[in-house]
Amino acid sequence: MLHVAVVGSGPSGCYTAQSLVQADPEVLVDVLDRLPCPYGLVRYGVAPDHEKIKSLQNNLRSVLEHERVRFLGGVPVGPGGIPASRLRELYHAVVYCVGASTDRHLGIPGEDLPGSWSATQFVAWYSAHPDAADDDGFVRDARSAVVIGVGNVAVDVTRMLARGAAELSTTDIPQAALGALAASRVTDIHMVGRRGPSQARFTTKELRELSGLPDTEVTVDPAELALDPAYADPSALPTARRRNVEVLRGWAAEASAPGAGSAARTASRSIALRFFLRPVELLADKGRVGAVRFERTVCDEDGGVTGTGRYEEIEAQLVLRSVGYRGLPLEGLPFDAARGTVPHLAGRVLRESAVEPGEYVAGWIKRGPTGVIGTNRPDAKETATSLLEDAPVLLRKDVPGDPLAALRAAGVEPVTWTGWQAIERAEAALGASLGRSVVKLADWESLLAAARTAAP
């Protein structure tokens, strides 16, 4: 039997495991994760009010419950955990599906002021990631928020800032985050992009959701949208971007309708979508962020933007940057620092342009932080195909009969599938005690304590 370790239990890891066991009945797969819970960004990156997307966990569950797939949570690989070299000794092959684990920075003055966070940190907090900040410092004392970026994550955090407690209480959002957002005094949210609407990366479905939020108005400035050359006639744009522009055109038309401009604001919250503004500095007020200074940009001949030397300030006690993710180097693997990925050939890790069968990558660490959840399926299948093509060579390697015994001998006690099921029961019980549905456990101690209640 070919024994494979897949590092990472998010979509790319699960789809890789699925491709392997479906294609070859002689493959056993251990799916390892640093966290005691499976599903990666589906559990810790999808907003709690996106129930349909979160339901993808059911598909991933079916993979991890396969008779030849084993989930081993709480197993860090690399510094502080199982050395990557030891992992390669225990398995015929190792596939790294670790995603892009850090966010990009703006690189501007004031970015480190209190009140300035990455959207990744905010998402981790309301998604109950055990490494997240454990307080309500995101929204405390904030009246105005600026979200920098115009992708789906930016739309998610904007929507979550505008959601009411009644809507969120039916989700699995942790109780502390629910309480903090319920008490939030944020009334003005600005989502700002340095380029135009035709270059925004959000999907049309996500964008439209903003206009359906209760007691919230969405505003766009027709004059600002018109700075985009594709705005007047978006017919030549790719379908997704054309639809985005059409939605924004509709909102702009509503704002320009007779009497609309003079109507008093009636909603409790406002979301303003802004374009062609580049952040240049976060300005302090009493030791924390108080405003963001932007420079107006215009389109250039290369499809990018250039500054105009005209500036604008937007008040903000909370700033969330959402300008992309980036992969980090992995112990013992080559790394392309410019792209934030591991060099590969169809998923096979490349060392000095040569392939050494036994090490593979899939997902964002392979291709960069692009695409949607479904993009991971063909990506994972490509890597699995490469691995199975190498199987005759890989099987020449002697490995232990069961790597789990070696992991335990090294002092690692993985959270098995029964441990994860115990966590699920604990989260259901917590929800019932609070008069809610399932409520996530938000810290390491609670998760591991719950896992230990699993039947032997």
Side-chain angles (χ1 to χ4, degrees):
M1 297 285 281
L2 183 68
H3 211 152
V4 179
V6 171
V7 182
S9 65
S12 63
C14 287
Y15 292 149
T16 298
Q18 183 179 51
S19 294
L20 288 169
V21 296
Q22 285 182 345
D24 191 331
E26 297 295 312
V27 176
L28 299 175
V29 180
D30 283 348
V31 179
L32 282 58
D33 203 295
R34 180 179 72 87
L35 299 174
C37 307
Y39 311 137
L41 281 180
V42 176
R43 176 175 168 92
Y44 290 119
V46 175
D49 62 338
H50 270 178
E51 297 291 344
K52 185 174 182 180
I53 300 176
K54 289 175 71 68
S55 69
L56 287 172
Q57 290 186 9
N58 295 328
N59 297 335
L60 304 186
R61 171 185 290 275
S62 67
V63 176
L64 295 176
E65 290 183 332
H66 190 281
E67 61 183 359
R68 287 184 284 115
V69 177
R70 179 169 57 180
F71 172 70
L72 301 176
V75 182
V77 176
I82 298 297
S85 58
R86 178 57 175 155
L87 199 65
R88 290 193 290 271
E89 292 172 355
L90 298 177
Y91 293 89
H92 291 109
V94 180
V95 187
Y96 294 90
C97 306
V98 295
S101 54
T102 190
D103 60 276
R104 296 182 182 273
H105 290 255
L106 299 171
I108 60 176
E111 187 172 9
D112 295 327
L113 282 168
S116 169
W117 306 80
S118 72
T120 306
Q121 291 171 299
F122 187 59
V123 170
W125 171 68
Y126 67 60
S127 297
H129 195 293
D131 292 339
D134 186 23
D135 59 44
D136 62 351
F138 292 98
V139 295
R140 189 193 307 125
D141 300 326
R143 302 178 308 278
S144 179
V146 166
V147 178
I148 299 173
V150 284
N152 277 346
V153 174
V155 176
D156 275 352
V157 299
T158 295
R159 192 183 64 255
M160 288 294 293
L161 285 170
R163 279 288 190 202
E167 304 150 61
L168 290 174
S169 64
T170 60
T171 73
D172 63 3
I173 187 171
Q175 190 69 13
L178 175 63
L181 291 173
S184 169
R185 295 185 296 169
V186 173
T187 56
D188 296 277
I189 308 161
H190 310 263
M191 189 169 71
V192 188
R194 64 187 178 91
R195 297 201 259 189
S198 69
Q199 296 172 307
R201 296 302 181 92
F202 42 61
T203 58
T204 308
K205 180 180 181 295
E206 292 260 1
L207 177 64
R208 284 178 174 145
E209 288 181 353
L210 295 179
S211 65
L213 296 172
D215 200 22
T216 303
E217 66 178 17
V218 179
T219 65
V220 290
D221 183 348
E224 199 165 69
L225 299 179
L227 296 173
D228 191 329
Y231 178 70
D233 180 10
S235 59
L237 292 172
T239 301
R241 297 189 183 188
R242 173 175 54 78
R243 289 173 178 167
N244 287 341
V245 172
E246 289 171 350
V247 169
L248 293 167
R249 281 163 60 98
W251 291 348
E254 293 174 6
S256 303
S262 60
R265 172 173 162 179
T266 58
S268 298
R269 291 177 294 272
S270 172
I271 297 174
L273 275 65
R274 305 293 309 276
F275 298 94
F276 292 110
L277 290 173
R278 177 169 61 195
V280 295
E281 185 177 4
L282 271 58
L283 305 175
D285 180 20
K286 298 178 181 178
R288 58 177 292 120
V289 66
V292 185
R293 192 177 193 218
F294 291 93
E295 181 182 16
R296 171 65 66 192
T297 61
V298 293
C299 292
D300 60 27
E301 296 179 353
D302 299 321
V305 292
T306 186
T308 64
R310 292 183 286 118
Y311 298 90
E312 175 181 340
E313 293 178 9
I314 299 178
E315 177 191 353
Q317 296 79 39
L318 169 63
V319 176
L320 299 173
R321 68 176 183 275
S322 179
V323 292
Y325 296 92
R326 181 175 178 79
L328 293 176
L330 303 173
E331 180 192 57
L333 290 184
F335 189 70
D336 183 339
R339 299 187 59 199
T341 58
V342 172
H344 70 94
L345 177 64
R348 298 178 176 94
V349 172
L350 286 173
R351 294 180 180 275
E352 298 180 355
S353 301
V355 169
E356 293 183 13
E359 296 175 315
Y360 305 84
V361 286
W364 279 3
I365 198 63
K366 171 186 174 184
R367 68 180 188 274
T370 61
V372 295
I373 291 174
T375 310
N376 290 293
R377 279 189 179 276
D379 178 284
K381 186 174 182 179
E382 178 189 60
T383 295
T385 299
S386 294
L387 190 157
L388 293 175
E389 288 175 353
D390 298 340
V393 174
L394 299 174
L395 284 168
R396 298 173 191 167
K397 174 182 172 183
D398 291 328
V399 298
D402 185 357
L404 181 56
L407 291 174
R408 286 175 168 155
V412 176
E413 186 54 51
V415 175
T416 62
W417 191 249
T418 57
W420 161 240
Q421 291 174 315
I423 291 173
E424 289 185 303
R425 290 193 296 272
E427 293 184 335
L430 176 60
S433 72
L434 295 169
R436 297 173 55 195
S437 56
V438 172
V439 174
K440 286 181 180 175
L441 299 174
D443 62 273
W444 279 96
E445 183 178 357
S446 298
L447 289 166
L448 294 177
R452 286 194 291 269
T453 66

